[in-house]
Amino acid sequence: MKTKILTTSENDIREAAKIIEEGGLVAFPTETVYGLGANALDAEAVAKIYEAKGRPSDNPMIVHIARASDIGQLTPMLSEDIVTLIDNFWPGPLTMVLKKKPGVPDRTTGGLDTVAVRMPDSEAALQLINLAGCPIAAPSANISGSPSPTRARDVIADMDGKIDAVIAGDDCRVGIESTVVDMTGDIPTILRPGIITAENIEAAIDKEVKYDESLFVRPEAGDLDPAAAAGASADGTEGNAKGDGESGEFRPKAPGMKYKHYAPKAQMTVIEGRRDKVKSEIERLKGLNERLGLKVGVILFEEKAFIEAAHDFFSRLRDLDEEGVDLILAGALSDRDGVGFAVMNRMLKSAGYNIARV
Ligand code: AMP
Ligand code: MG
């Protein structure tokens, strides 16, 4: 298949919308990462997303809408908290898991009776959804398991020849995926951390918000399901609990969280500990490896530059792979900060939970 490279001009977005209407696949920029979109209400179109990405079929999609009032197509009832979150955070990087209406295909929700919904904060995305006239299911526009694409060229590198078109817009402002919060239980629960933190949500709805316990579990390195394409081990994997994960079992509520994720081609290790020690350990390991001819890449963000780290992390991984490094050494950020926690969630997964403490 020839993949058409489109711009964000109105004409081009019109063309992209037509492709979606006709059941095709279009990658497009959002403020978080690039998405790979299809008509969310068309099971056949959605099936093509799984195929293009090599995504396990039990990993549900986020459904994107352009107007809050379109939410009625997807869910039968809104609570006051849901409406408050819409008012406070949409358009923006907050996805809510809601009870689903029967019209939403199982293919879109991975067979769950809930649906994840968000309104992206990107002009091109909103125009595309409006013109297509349907909600758009869109996971990140990368091959399943590889770092999420935050630049048009990252999408093209992964998806050229596999999808109908790419809207090649600006680099993504946020750089990591949306916060996913489950609104179907008594306590709103964050299933995937993002730049909208539990504290932000608590402040808006004036009640407690939890993080899903699986977010604190560190599976043994190598324990995650690497063969994303080969179908899921639906029951998750055992892991060694740390932090607040009390059971020691890695059973995330968001099905996608159990897979090996965001992995660069290079071997990667996260160095964790006091900042000065982390720095010197990275230098030591770098020297050691370079002396014998290995090519080493370093990812070390400023200590408190969490937003910048979110913005740069995935593109740094992709750049280092392009440079052909053998080994990536990454300095851990503080996960006491909500945004730092979100970046560390990606960093640890990228490294397949290879962690060295100093
Ligand atoms: P991505 O599409 O790659 O941004 O990933 C979407 C994330 O949201 C994955 O971790 C999914 O497992 C999760 N997700 C989507 N829909 C649901 C749902 N109905 N319930 C729980 N998690 C969901
Ligand atoms: Mg993804």
Side-chain angles (χ1 to χ4, degrees):
M1 170 187 305
K2 175 125 181 63
T3 301
K4 221 167 178 177
I5 311 295
L6 300 171
T7 68
T8 53
S9 72
E10 198 182 325
N11 262 346
D12 278 13
I13 294 187
R14 230 170 252 292
E15 185 173 342
K18 189 141 186 299
I19 295 171
I20 300 267
E21 271 183 271
E22 288 168 356
L25 299 187
V26 177
F28 61 96
T30 79
E31 82 280 30
T32 57
V33 303
Y34 271 74
L36 176 55
N39 180 349
L41 303 180
D42 176 348
E44 260 175 58
V46 171
K48 293 184 197 164
I49 298 181
Y50 286 98
E51 196 182 312
K53 279 180 62 82
R55 180 172 173 110
S57 60
D58 72 335
N59 189 0
M61 308 272 160
I62 293 173
V63 178
H64 296 73
I65 57 178
R67 288 172 309 220
S69 57
D70 287 340
I71 203 168
Q73 297 176 60
L74 306 169
T75 190
M77 188 183 151
L78 303 171
S79 66
E80 195 172 335
D81 289 342
I82 295 168
V83 174
T84 302
L85 293 182
I86 290 174
D87 288 342
N88 277 272
F89 297 110
W90 282 7
L94 180 70
T95 296
M96 284 189 266
V97 173
L98 308 171
K99 275 261 165 282
K100 98 172 172 82
K101 267 193 169 171
V104 184
D106 276 347
R107 210 79 187 78
T108 303
T109 63
L112 298 174
D113 59 0
T114 54
V115 59
V117 189
R118 125 175 155 92
M119 189 197 303
D121 184 18
S122 135
E123 208 38 58
L126 293 171
Q127 273 180 27
L128 176 68
I129 302 163
N130 262 325
L131 289 170
C134 59
I136 294 185
S140 49
N142 53 283
I143 292 169
S144 206
S146 73
S148 298
T150 58
R151 306 170 295 198
R153 64 185 168 95
D154 302 337
V155 178
I156 293 166
D158 276 21
M159 289 296 153
D160 194 24
K162 297 184 182 141
I163 61 176
D164 298 290
V166 178
I167 299 175
D170 292 337
D171 294 354
C172 300
R173 173 170 56 82
V174 174
I176 58 172
E177 304 87 342
S178 57
T179 305
V180 177
V181 61
D182 182 355
M183 299 302 290
T184 63
D186 291 338
I187 304 176
T189 304
I190 292 182
L191 308 184
R192 178 173 73 186
I195 67 159
I196 295 178
T197 63
E199 296 75 53
N200 298 149
I201 298 173
E202 278 174 350
I205 59 178
D206 198 20
K207 68 160 71 147
E208 182 202 0
V209 173
K210 284 192 317 191
Y211 283 102
D212 185 30
E213 277 180 6
S214 71
L215 294 173
F216 301 101
V217 175
R218 295 179 171 189
E220 294 288 347
D223 237 11
L224 286 183
D225 193 341
S233 57
D235 55 345
T237 45
E238 300 283 312
N240 59 330
K242 280 216 178 156
D244 299 347
E246 39 177 57
S247 66
E249 290 183 355
F250 187 53
R251 295 184 193 283
K253 285 211 190 91
M257 301 298 274
K258 69 173 170 285
Y259 294 109
K260 187 161 166 63
H261 239 101
Y262 315 130
K265 296 189 187 88
Q267 164 76 31
M268 178 169 168
T269 296
V270 176
I271 319 292
E272 192 179 55
R274 252 180 40 203
R275 187 75 183 175
D276 51 340
K277 287 192 175 170
V278 166
K279 277 187 179 163
S280 53
E281 180 64 359
I282 287 179
E283 278 315 307
R284 190 184 73 81
L285 286 171
K286 184 167 186 282
L288 198 81
N289 280 274
E290 285 180 340
R291 194 147 51 88
L292 294 177
L294 291 170
K295 218 171 155 184
V296 180
V298 171
I299 299 180
L300 187 62
F301 297 110
E302 290 296 319
E303 200 168 0
K304 298 217 166 99
F306 301 113
I307 295 285
E308 194 184 349
H311 182 268
D312 288 352
F313 180 63
F314 285 132
S315 57
R316 290 280 293 141
L317 289 183
R318 283 183 175 261
D319 287 347
L320 290 171
D321 269 346
E322 248 165 60
E323 287 166 29
V325 303
D326 299 293
L327 174 64
I328 297 173
L329 301 170
L333 295 172
S334 166
D335 58 9
R336 299 228 162 124
D337 178 274
V339 179
F341 182 61
V343 176
M344 285 314 296
N345 172 268
R346 274 65 176 189
M347 192 185 281
L348 295 175
K349 280 169 186 274
S350 307
Y353 293 89
N354 272 315
I355 304 162
R357 270 209 75 84
V358 289

